[in-house]
Amino acid sequence: MRPGAAPAGLPRYGAAVKILVLAAVFGGACGCGTSPAPEPPGRAPDSAAEAAHLDRIVHGLLPPVRVRGEDVRYALEDRMRKYHVHGVSIAVLDHGRLAWARGFGVADLDTRAPVTETTLFQAGSISKSVNALAQLQAVAQGTLGLDAPINDALRSWKLADNDLTRGAPITLRLLLSHTAGTNVHGFPGYVAGTPVPSLVQVLDGAPPANTPRIVVDQAPGKAYRYSGGGISITQLALVDQLRRPYPQLLAERVLGPLGMAHSTYEQPLPPARLAQAATGYDIDGKVVPGKRNVYPEMAAAGLWTTPSDLARFFLELQRARAGTSDKLPRALALQMTTAVAPADGGEVGLGVFLFTRNGARLFGHGGADTGFQADAVASLDRGYGIIIMANSDNSFPLFRELERAVFAEYGWDGADPPIDRVAIDATRLPSLTGRYGTAEQPVSLAAAAGKLELRRPFAEPVELVPVAADTFVALDDAARVHVDAGTLTFTRTDPARTESLRRLPEEATAPLLELEAGHVESAVAAARALRQTEPGAFDEGRTNSFGYRVRVRGNLAGSILIFRLNVALWPDSSNAYESLAEAYDAAGDRPQAIASYDLALSTLPRDTTTPPDLKQEVRRAATDALHRLHGSP
């Protein structure tokens, strides 16, 4: 059903993009797509120098690793085609100003409407950052209390007390920093034209809401856990106190004063704005049902905006931190960008994430609504940053390449330095080759044309560039790989982590390698045998996520094999069957898709593996897909 975090719940540096062992073993990028339209004019750069910057960036996207003297760059149009991204919009901040903004590709494949600087995209979870500013303004005005029980501010609904909350009331500070212990990571939204719940129904998990009731099920104040559900409580608190619709409040308090003239929290968009709105597309480049989902969870996921408008928001926070803003007080900006708790390799503030990149202090947020993704990265104190929005579920790999190119082009703090390739005796390479890791997660080192390659199941080989006698850098993710005494050690810095893999015996059977060779029955048998000795092997959710990563790389046939393995190992998982059905559907195999969607629905009553909120989404998605495949209205 889902490869990881739910849409509208993707933090800038969340678990969906920070997977340790599986990313090291199965990482990589996808390929394929539809050509974007010619570039529209967009907002012209302010000078010839900025125009030159722009030209070099759009023709010079960068891979994860630059080897000195080996200039590898990509054209934006080619990478959009590779990742199935039909439209992308970019704004760059430099020296405390909006340097340029530009759209590329199309907002809608049917109309061929070009993406321009004013094309509206769904911001996903960047909505939370703008919401946090409105909440803190209400605190400064005495409307809300940052450390008062949130139930004191709620009128139309109350967060249920339990043993976890009686000694530690839930506060606005806890909710904005994802440390309240509330549930529901993110929201899938509602297909246009279908029933949409009120915010109270969302909070209660009452029909037609498609997510569970919002409760506290983890000790408050103890640890970070991302929760769009908690942010939705802050939306209701503001509405209950000020007694006006949330879109109106945000327009009056943030969007209008900051000059975000093209932005709105209206859900769904009113007809007058639809002409400016992009259409959303899935990971295969196909239009999402209804073109764009509706999000009553506005504070968590409901902002429609442009990169230029978000640039104004982040610029104003930068200016306020420096004490030069005439719109925001410095104390508020500092409060918002002060760390509350460790979070996913960085820290979480109030509505934003804080992190370092090659020593540079940065802040920002990411977002993912169905059919849309967005990213915002800005310097805390140096006046630079980049905001990117796209109408695709597969945009983040493209965003990383764009960000690397922009950081390098402008020479910003945090730009990735190139590495130096050192000479290595080719006769040593055979002694390093072999399989490492575990039977579930094998990797291989192989010598090819005098170079060392890292090979993973269902992925293209990755060159390991020697930087020292026994140390290499993987070109796909910049991991340092040390080979010594039969051990392969991966070291990464974002966040800092190390993983060591022992050499596998030559006779060891690896189910994924059997599967990759097309031997499905022997792969299933080997995986079942492995689970007898290692019950945690081939976890249903982990294997499902792997299948989606392989699909995102463009290997749809490989993802089908992985999903087939998963349903064989987990025959009572409705989520496993729905993922397989979705892949068959994308491949155009209608009979197999229908059969697998039927199995997803029939297993729901006995399914003890899939969480309740995901089971609701499985039921909805499978039912909708079967109606479509059977030709029902």
Side-chain angles (χ1 to χ4, degrees):
M1 180 66 222
R2 293 290 181 194
L10 185 64
R12 172 65 182 85
Y13 303 94
V17 292
K18 293 290 174 68
I19 303 171
L20 175 55
V21 178
L22 285 176
V25 176
F26 303 128
C30 81
C32 50
T34 302
S35 293
E39 301 170 7
R43 170 191 166 93
D46 292 336
S47 68
E50 290 297 350
H53 282 312
L54 171 59
D55 184 69
R56 286 191 292 267
I57 289 164
V58 299
H59 294 97
L61 276 61
L62 292 175
V65 177
R66 286 187 296 155
V67 182
R68 201 182 310 275
E70 303 173 22
D71 196 25
V72 177
R73 295 176 183 270
Y74 313 124
L76 174 59
E77 183 176 349
D78 293 339
R79 304 309 273 182
M80 289 173 68
R81 184 179 301 111
K82 176 181 178 66
Y83 295 124
H84 278 173
V85 177
H86 300 306
V88 63
S89 187
I90 309 166
V92 169
L93 325 177
D94 192 40
H95 292 94
R97 64 186 178 89
L98 175 59
W100 55 267
R102 186 74 177 267
F104 303 86
V106 295
D108 185 285
L109 281 178
D110 290 336
T111 66
R112 307 304 294 178
V115 174
T116 70
E117 182 194 359
T118 59
T119 299
L120 294 175
F121 292 83
Q122 289 190 329
S125 288
I126 303 180
S127 307
K128 297 174 173 68
S129 299
V130 181
N131 169 72
L133 179 57
Q135 301 287 338
L136 293 176
Q137 286 175 330
V139 170
Q141 294 162 357
T143 303
L144 295 173
L146 188 58
D147 295 304
I150 196 66
N151 272 341
D152 290 353
L154 295 170
R155 300 284 182 268
S156 51
W157 179 87
K158 296 288 185 180
L159 179 61
D161 275 332
N162 58 31
D163 290 341
L164 294 170
T165 64
R166 290 188 183 99
I170 302 304
T171 67
L172 183 61
R173 185 191 301 275
L174 294 175
L175 293 167
L176 293 178
S177 61
H178 301 286
T179 56
T182 47
N183 63 332
V184 182
H185 180 102
F187 299 102
Y190 299 83
V191 175
T194 63
V196 176
S198 68
L199 181 59
V200 169
Q201 287 175 317
V202 170
L203 295 172
D204 270 335
N210 57 16
T211 50
R213 183 186 185 202
I214 308 303
V215 298
V216 176
D217 60 5
Q218 179 174 291
K222 299 299 183 182
Y224 160 86
R225 184 180 68 178
Y226 196 81
S227 172
I231 300 301
S232 295
I233 296 173
T234 75
Q235 175 182 333
L236 186 63
L238 196 65
V239 169
D240 277 355
Q241 285 299 302
L242 297 177
R243 301 183 185 280
R244 292 201 300 285
Y246 184 80
Q248 180 183 342
L249 291 174
L250 268 288
E252 294 171 353
R253 302 170 77 85
V254 178
L255 306 181
L258 297 192
M260 300 171 69
H262 299 286
S263 303
T264 181
Y265 275 92
E266 293 171 287
Q267 290 284 341
L269 274 176
R273 287 187 180 260
L274 280 176
Q276 287 78 47
T279 292
Y281 296 90
D282 66 16
I283 60 175
D284 300 308
K286 298 177 181 177
V287 64
V288 301
K291 291 195 170 184
R292 48 193 77 88
N293 278 9
V294 178
Y295 290 86
E297 311 91 352
M298 299 170 191
L303 178 63
W304 281 95
T305 187
T306 68
S308 296
D309 273 9
L310 286 177
R312 294 177 177 93
F313 174 82
F314 284 97
L315 276 171
E316 211 57 52
L317 285 175
Q318 290 175 328
R319 291 169 182 153
R321 280 181 55 87
T324 60
S325 172
D326 59 359
K327 296 180 175 68
L328 298 178
R330 184 169 187 262
L332 187 154
L334 291 175
Q335 187 177 55
M336 192 169 172
T337 56
T338 295
V340 175
D344 294 323
E347 296 168 308
V348 62
L350 300 179
V352 296
F353 290 89
L354 315 166
F355 57 101
T356 60
R357 176 184 291 176
N358 296 319
R361 300 172 64 233
L362 307 171
F363 75 111
H365 212 296
D369 280 356
T370 297
F372 294 87
Q373 291 181 340
D375 204 21
V377 180
S379 169
L380 275 173
D381 303 307
R382 301 294 296 274
Y384 63 75
I386 177 172
I387 296 94
I388 318 174
M389 308 187 79
N391 57 348
S392 167
D393 280 336
N394 193 33
S395 304
F396 283 112
L398 177 68
F399 292 172
R400 299 298 164 261
E401 294 175 4
L402 272 164
E403 288 171 7
R404 287 191 289 266
V406 170
F407 269 73
E409 173 64 25
Y410 284 90
W412 291 340
D413 296 339
D416 296 323
I419 64 170
D420 292 299
R421 182 191 293 270
V422 303
I424 186 171
D425 184 356
T427 62
R428 288 191 56 236
L429 296 182
S431 67
L432 305 178
T433 61
R435 285 191 293 171
Y436 296 79
T438 66
E440 180 187 5
Q441 300 173 9
V443 299
S444 301
L445 293 188
K451 296 179 179 179
L452 195 64
E453 288 183 344
L454 179 69
R455 297 179 179 177
R456 311 174 178 104
F458 296 96
E460 293 296 321
V462 175
E463 183 188 351
L464 300 182
V465 177
V467 294
D470 296 308
T471 303
F472 303 78
V473 173
L475 286 184
D476 67 335
D477 65 359
R480 295 236 160 196
V481 183
H482 185 73
V483 188
D484 180 52
T487 300
L488 197 62
T489 301
F490 293 84
T491 302
R492 294 175 175 81
T493 58
D494 184 23
R497 61 209 190 271
T498 299
E499 179 72 14
S500 294
L501 307 178
R502 298 291 299 175
R503 189 186 290 269
L504 283 170
E506 288 298 322
E507 66 275 11
T509 300
L512 286 179
L513 297 180
E514 290 290 307
L515 191 66
E516 188 176 36
H519 306 149
V520 179
E521 291 184 4
S522 60
V524 171
R528 284 174 174 159
L530 181 63
R531 284 184 52 78
Q532 292 296 315
T533 56
E534 299 179 27
F538 289 99
D539 169 81
E540 187 270 337
R542 189 168 64 241
T543 306
N544 195 63
S545 293
F546 176 40
Y548 271 98
R549 285 199 298 280
V550 169
R551 183 179 165 191
V552 164
R553 294 177 195 143
N555 188 351
L556 184 56
S559 72
I560 289 173
L561 289 174
I562 294 162
F563 292 138
R564 286 177 61 188
L565 172 67
N566 212 25
V567 299
L569 297 176
W570 301 91
D572 292 337
S573 170
S574 58
N575 185 52
Y577 280 113
E578 204 279 338
S579 296
L580 176 60
E582 193 180 74
Y584 277 134
D585 199 356
D589 191 335
R590 184 172 176 271
Q592 291 283 14
I594 290 173
S596 296
Y597 279 126
D598 282 336
L599 284 167
L601 293 176
S602 66
T603 56
L604 279 167
R606 65 177 186 271
D607 184 357
T608 60
T609 302
T610 305
D613 55 336
L614 189 53
K615 288 174 74 172
Q616 291 183 39
E617 178 67 3
V618 166
R619 184 185 302 278
R620 181 199 63 76
T623 301
D624 290 348
L626 285 169
H627 285 169
R628 171 176 51 80
L629 290 168
H630 285 301
S632 301

